[in-house]
Amino acid sequence: MDVTSQLLKVYLVEKQIRGLQTRLKAAEKFLNEQDGQLSKIESKHSDLSTQLKRLQAKAADNEGEMKRLDERIRTVREQMNTARTNKEYQAFLVEANTFKTERDAMETAALEHMAKVDEVRKQIEEIESAKSQRSSVKQVATTDRDQRHAEIRERLEELKKERGSATKDVSQDALGTLLKLLEQRGDDAMATIEVHDAKRHEYNCGSCMMALPIEAVAGLMSSGRLTLCASCQCVLYIDDVAKEALAPPAKKGAKASAR
């Protein structure tokens, strides 16, 4: 078996392996996306919970300060009732009004904090709903990933054994060239020759569609030597369609008679 045929055998097996792995990678990518979104939701939930605690603490402080001021106001009013002079009475009145102003400010702050508490609680409810929905999607994604892995596991093992067998007799240099192209170009690592006009020796690369010199085609036809497209650098090979198109007219007639 010539080197191009050996590489084609490896390429076809590798192509199947990559196809199966692509299905699994797509499922894993979707699962990772759900993980990422769920992490963002959980982070936001944590931030809102911390914010809620701070607001509740501030509201509690406001209420505590209101009670303290209520007590001061009550005490001052009692003192007003026992004031001996008008001047003393007026002093207590000013003090009571001051405490009342502070108390009103505390009440306003407390109401603002409680309004924010209600708003944050609403946001937490919404984020918890989103978290629940995203967790459900993640569970579906996990199940899908596991199912795909189970579906391809046996076939993937078979193909890896085939690949090991196919690469056994290939030269390291030729195999290295193919593996490098597979990494760079994926399924376009190899491409068949397309015969545009056999009589005029017009051939194209099946990957980039650029014209190929007759020497490249002749080398493949005669010895199957390793041939790269001068334009896109993929490994060229000749499939059955190209072989049929390149066959001499007499040979084509013989095949037709045989049919």
Side-chain angles (χ1 to χ4, degrees):
M1 186 182 291
D2 60 67
V3 64
T4 298
S5 297
Q6 290 175 334
L7 289 178
L8 181 59
K9 187 176 180 180
V10 175
Y11 166 74
L12 293 175
V13 174
E14 187 68 29
K15 191 175 178 180
Q16 292 183 70
I17 290 174
R18 285 170 175 262
L20 291 175
Q21 289 176 333
T22 297
R23 290 175 55 202
L24 181 58
K25 285 178 181 177
E28 288 177 340
K29 180 181 178 182
F30 183 68
L31 176 57
N32 290 335
E33 288 173 353
Q34 305 317 305
D35 268 331
Q37 292 186 37
L38 191 57
S39 294
K40 289 180 181 179
I41 290 173
E42 289 174 342
S43 177
K44 188 173 181 180
H45 184 276
S46 177
D47 291 343
L48 286 172
S49 297
T50 300
Q51 185 179 350
L52 178 63
K53 289 178 181 178
R54 286 201 301 265
L55 290 170
Q56 288 175 327
K58 288 180 179 179
D61 288 343
N62 293 147
E63 290 178 354
E65 187 65 14
M66 286 166 60
K67 289 179 180 179
R68 184 186 70 80
L69 290 169
D70 284 339
E71 183 62 25
R72 293 296 301 275
I73 292 170
R74 185 186 66 79
T75 301
V76 172
R77 283 177 175 169
E78 288 178 354
Q79 291 174 328
M80 288 171 63
N81 293 330
T82 59
R84 296 178 181 177
T85 64
N86 184 58
K87 184 178 180 180
E88 191 177 51
Y89 179 86
Q90 290 299 323
F92 286 138
L93 180 61
V94 170
E95 188 176 7
N97 288 335
T98 300
F99 289 146
K100 187 176 184 301
T101 300
E102 291 179 8
R103 201 261 185 207
D104 289 343
M106 283 295 148
E107 184 176 17
T108 299
L111 291 172
E112 289 176 353
H113 286 137
M114 290 308 298
K116 290 179 180 179
V117 164
D118 291 339
E119 182 181 342
V120 172
R121 278 176 175 164
K122 184 178 179 181
Q123 292 179 20
I124 288 176
E125 288 177 2
E126 292 173 352
I127 209 74
E128 286 177 346
S129 176
K131 180 180 177 181
S132 177
Q133 292 175 5
R134 188 58 54 187
S135 295
S136 297
V137 174
K138 180 187 174 182
Q139 183 57 50
V140 172
T142 302
T143 301
D144 183 52
R145 189 275 312 273
D146 293 344
Q147 286 178 345
R148 291 194 184 192
H149 186 272
E151 288 170 0
I152 71 171
R153 182 173 54 236
E154 186 175 339
R155 179 57 181 156
L156 201 56
E157 290 302 318
E158 292 175 357
L159 288 171
K160 286 181 179 179
K161 289 179 182 178
E162 287 184 34
R163 180 175 60 185
S165 176
T167 58
K168 186 167 56 177
D169 298 325
V170 185
S171 72
Q172 290 301 307
D173 288 343
L175 182 60
T177 298
L178 177 61
L179 294 178
K180 183 178 179 181
L181 286 169
L182 282 167
E183 185 66 27
Q184 295 174 344
R185 298 174 55 83
D187 288 351
D188 291 328
M190 293 190 73
T192 185
I193 287 174
E194 293 191 358
V195 181
H196 183 66
D197 191 324
K199 291 182 180 180
R200 296 182 180 180
H201 306 301
E202 294 177 356
Y203 316 108
N204 298 326
C205 168
S207 176
C208 67
M209 302 309 295
M210 295 299 290
L212 298 171
I214 187 173
E215 294 80 11
V217 179
L220 278 172
M221 287 290 291
S222 62
S223 63
R225 70 188 181 193
L226 178 60
T227 305
L228 303 181
C229 171
S231 179
C232 69
Q233 296 298 302
C234 72
V235 178
L236 297 169
Y237 68 94
I238 301 175
D239 64 7
D240 292 338
V241 175
K243 287 178 182 177
E244 180 71 20
L246 290 168
K251 190 173 182 180
K252 291 181 183 178
K255 287 186 177 181
S257 298
R259 293 194 190 98

